[in-house]
Amino acid sequence: MRQPRNTTYIVPEVKIAVITHNDSTEFKLAFISVELDVLLTEDLWLPDDSLCAAPPLRHFRPCVRLSTGPQQRHSTLYEFRTYCIHPEQNAAFLKLTNEKIQLRTAHSELVGYWSVEYGGLNKVFHIWKYDSHSQRAAVRAALAQDPTWISEYISKAIPMLTSQDNEVTYLVPWSRLHKPPKEGGVYELVSYQMCPGGPAVWGQDFQAAVTAHDAPGYAKLVGSADQRAELRHKAHTDARVVAAVRNSIVHLVAQENKLMFPCPFSPLR
C-alpha cells in the first residue's frame, strides 16, 4: 500500500557533528542530533511505514516516527551551545567566564569550551553532558534559583551576547568520549546536515568516509591552518578517501566547518 500524492509529511533531517584535535588521529568525537522539517510532497510516493502523514498545513499537527538507533537507547545526552558575542565585549566575556565558570560546573559536567577562530567571529562553543533530559531540567531549574550564579555571572554575561543557540546530541555508537593525548593546539568542528532517513540509510557510508581519513593521518591537524590545508589537499588526491567520500556525499545536504581554540578552563584542551 502506498500513500497518494499531495500529502504533507514530517521528515526528520539528521545532523552529525565531528570534532577532531590537531595532534591526534585517534581523538575523534561524533555526535548526532535530529531536527524536524516539513516536506510538502507533490510527486513523492512513500511507503506507509516510512513516514507519518499529517493533515494539510492549515491543520498542521506534528507527527513523526523517529528512528530508534543506539543513541536513543541510552539516556546520556550532550548539549551543544553556541554564543555570539558583541565584538567589543569578546575579551571581557572570555575573562568573566574564565573567572566564574566554577559557578556553572558546580551544577553539571562541562565537556569542553572553545573560542571559534574560523567559521564564525566572536563566538564560543561549549558542550555540556547530562545523564538524561530530567537531569538537565533539574540543573536549569537550580541555576535559575542560584543567586551567586545570577549576580556574579549571568547578569554580567548576557548583555555581552548577541545571540545564544543550543541543540541536543548523542554520541554515535562508534565514538567514545576521551581526552586527546596532548593538550593545546587546534580543534575542528565539522557539522554535516544529512538527508532524511537516518543512520539506517547512510550510517555505514558516513562512518567509512570519516574513518577513511584516519589511516593515512589526514584527520590529524598539526598545529596550524596552513598545515591543515596541506593535509586536506593530500586527502583529496588519495583514491581511498575519494572513494569513501563519494559514497557518502550523496547523502549530504550541507556541511559547515569551524576551527576552534580551547579556553584555559576547558576540560578538553
Side-chain angles (χ1 to χ4, degrees):
M1 182 70 181
R2 301 172 73 85
Q3 299 284 1
R5 299 182 184 184
N6 301 320
T7 304
T8 301
Y9 295 94
I10 306 300
V11 180
E13 281 200 353
V14 181
K15 182 178 180 181
I16 291 281
V18 178
I19 301 176
T20 56
H21 181 254
N22 73 305
D23 201 44
S24 173
T25 57
E26 297 179 356
F27 179 83
K28 184 179 277 84
L29 302 179
F31 301 85
I32 186 170
S33 65
V34 176
E35 300 176 354
L36 300 185
D37 280 352
V38 177
L39 173 64
L40 182 61
T41 61
E42 186 65 31
D43 296 306
L44 182 64
W45 291 73
L46 296 167
D48 277 343
D49 59 353
S50 62
L51 297 171
C52 184
L57 286 176
R58 63 180 180 274
H59 303 301
F60 176 73
R61 297 177 62 187
C63 180
V64 66
R65 296 172 184 169
L66 298 180
S67 62
T68 54
Q71 75 279 1
Q72 291 171 296
R73 292 201 293 266
H74 304 285
S75 60
T76 301
L77 58 97
Y78 299 85
E79 182 180 10
F80 285 11
R81 283 185 166 247
T82 303
Y83 295 168
C84 296
I85 310 165
H86 287 287
E88 71 277 9
Q89 296 289 340
N90 191 63
F93 177 84
L94 291 174
K95 181 176 183 295
L96 175 67
T97 304
N98 185 50
E99 294 172 349
K100 302 297 182 180
I101 191 65
Q102 74 278 0
L103 298 177
R104 178 61 183 83
T105 54
H107 290 270
S108 65
E109 181 180 349
L110 173 65
V111 175
Y113 205 113
W114 297 267
S115 176
V116 178
E117 182 70 13
Y118 295 116
L121 298 175
N122 304 302
K123 289 184 178 182
V124 292
F125 171 77
H126 36 125
I127 304 175
W128 298 87
K129 180 182 178 181
Y130 297 98
D131 295 332
S132 64
H133 286 282
S134 297
Q135 189 216 355
R136 181 187 179 278
V139 167
R140 303 306 301 176
L143 286 168
Q145 300 298 320
D146 186 335
T148 306
W149 165 250
I150 294 172
S151 63
E152 295 189 14
Y153 184 76
I154 284 296
S155 62
K156 299 175 182 178
I158 290 298
M160 300 180 185
L161 303 179
T162 61
S163 66
Q164 296 173 284
D165 185 38
N166 71 332
E167 60 184 303
V168 170
T169 69
Y170 303 85
L171 275 174
V172 301
W174 45 270
S175 179
R176 63 185 181 89
L177 186 62
H178 64 288
K179 292 185 177 182
K182 183 183 295 185
E183 293 185 351
V186 179
Y187 284 76
E188 181 170 14
L189 169 65
V190 187
S191 299
Y192 302 92
Q193 193 76 34
M194 308 300 288
C195 292
V201 174
W202 44 256
Q204 289 185 345
D205 289 338
F206 178 81
Q207 182 180 355
V210 172
T211 55
H213 292 74
D214 290 348
Y218 299 136
K220 177 182 178 181
L221 303 185
V222 287
S224 73
D226 290 331
Q227 291 168 319
R228 172 193 177 274
E230 180 182 353
L231 287 178
R232 295 285 291 178
H233 175 72
K234 291 181 179 179
H236 294 164
T237 60
D238 188 311
R240 296 166 296 178
V241 176
V242 171
V245 171
R246 183 180 291 117
N247 291 334
S248 177
I249 201 72
V250 297
H251 307 293
L252 183 66
V253 175
Q255 177 179 334
E256 183 181 75
N257 296 54
K258 288 182 172 65
L259 291 187
M260 314 180 299
F261 290 104
C263 294
F265 53 85
S266 175
L268 288 179
R269 59 179 183 268

